[in-house]
Amino acid sequence: MTDEPRWLDPAEEQTWITLVAVLFRLPAALDAQLQRDAGISHFEYLILVGLSEAPERTLRMSALALLCEGSLPRLSQAVGRLEKRGWVRRTPDPTDGRYTLAILTDEGRDKIVATAPGHVAEVRRLVFDPMTRAQPGQLREIGARVLRAVDPDGPRPGTRPF
């Protein structure tokens, strides 16, 4: 005898459908805004932000990949594009040559400073403006609970990665 699956009730099914739509459409909308206004992808933006917030604007590529929730090959391709624009440079880690450091250049810092206001405005427009005053806290708590279920040993909810 097999156990019957715990099917979603109608309300849960509608919640799931809505969540899936948000998971697909919100990143696409954020990417479109960044492409249109700054000529970069959302992933490239996350790389620039991660480096801008790192000590000395420098991270090992492996740490940056974790921070941005991307694979090393994907990160390497994106960093290559950012290098061509002069916003990031790579160098061997002087403490351990097996690793490569990604470093945000002054031009890269200027790019993130110029790009951030438009991105924050779009995040506010798409995510926070439609909510009541209580809902951001509720969304944070719901997100934290889901993250703990997905990755109990992962970073604490509310901390980066993005």
Side-chain angles (χ1 to χ4, degrees):
M1 181 190 229
T2 61
D3 290 333
E4 181 68 21
R6 289 180 51 213
W7 298 109
L8 301 178
D9 67 33
E12 290 170 331
E13 184 176 0
Q14 285 304 306
T15 301
W16 175 243
I17 290 168
T18 301
L19 177 59
V20 168
V22 169
L23 293 173
F24 281 102
R25 293 180 186 167
L26 181 59
L30 295 174
D31 197 63
Q33 178 271 320
L34 287 164
Q35 289 286 356
R36 179 187 67 240
D37 296 347
I40 61 175
S41 70
H42 192 232
F43 188 64
E44 291 165 337
Y45 179 80
L46 294 178
I47 292 167
L48 295 174
V49 168
L51 290 172
S52 75
E53 295 179 351
E56 299 180 37
R57 301 188 313 209
T58 302
L59 285 172
R60 283 183 174 172
M61 290 285 286
S62 54
L64 187 56
L66 288 172
L67 184 68
C68 296
E69 299 276 344
S71 68
L72 275 172
R74 180 180 183 210
L75 177 69
S76 184
Q77 289 179 346
V79 168
R81 290 189 300 273
L82 296 172
E83 275 184 307
K84 287 178 184 172
R85 293 173 145 185
W87 299 335
V88 175
R89 67 182 178 87
R90 286 185 270 197
T91 188
D93 187 335
T95 63
D96 188 339
R98 296 175 296 173
Y99 296 97
T100 299
L101 299 177
I103 303 164
L104 184 69
T105 66
D106 291 341
E107 294 83 5
R109 185 184 178 289
D110 292 346
K111 180 63 175 177
I112 199 70
V113 167
T115 302
H119 178 65
V120 169
E122 188 72 346
V123 168
R124 179 168 301 286
R125 183 181 76 80
L126 295 174
V127 178
F128 293 99
D129 289 350
M131 290 188 198
T132 67
R133 291 182 62 84
Q135 287 174 328
Q138 294 165 350
L139 180 59
R140 184 176 52 251
E141 177 59 28
I142 292 164
R145 287 173 177 260
V146 172
L147 283 173
R148 281 192 298 269
V150 169
D151 188 4
D153 299 322
R156 293 184 39 124
T159 61
R160 305 229 182 206
F162 312 94

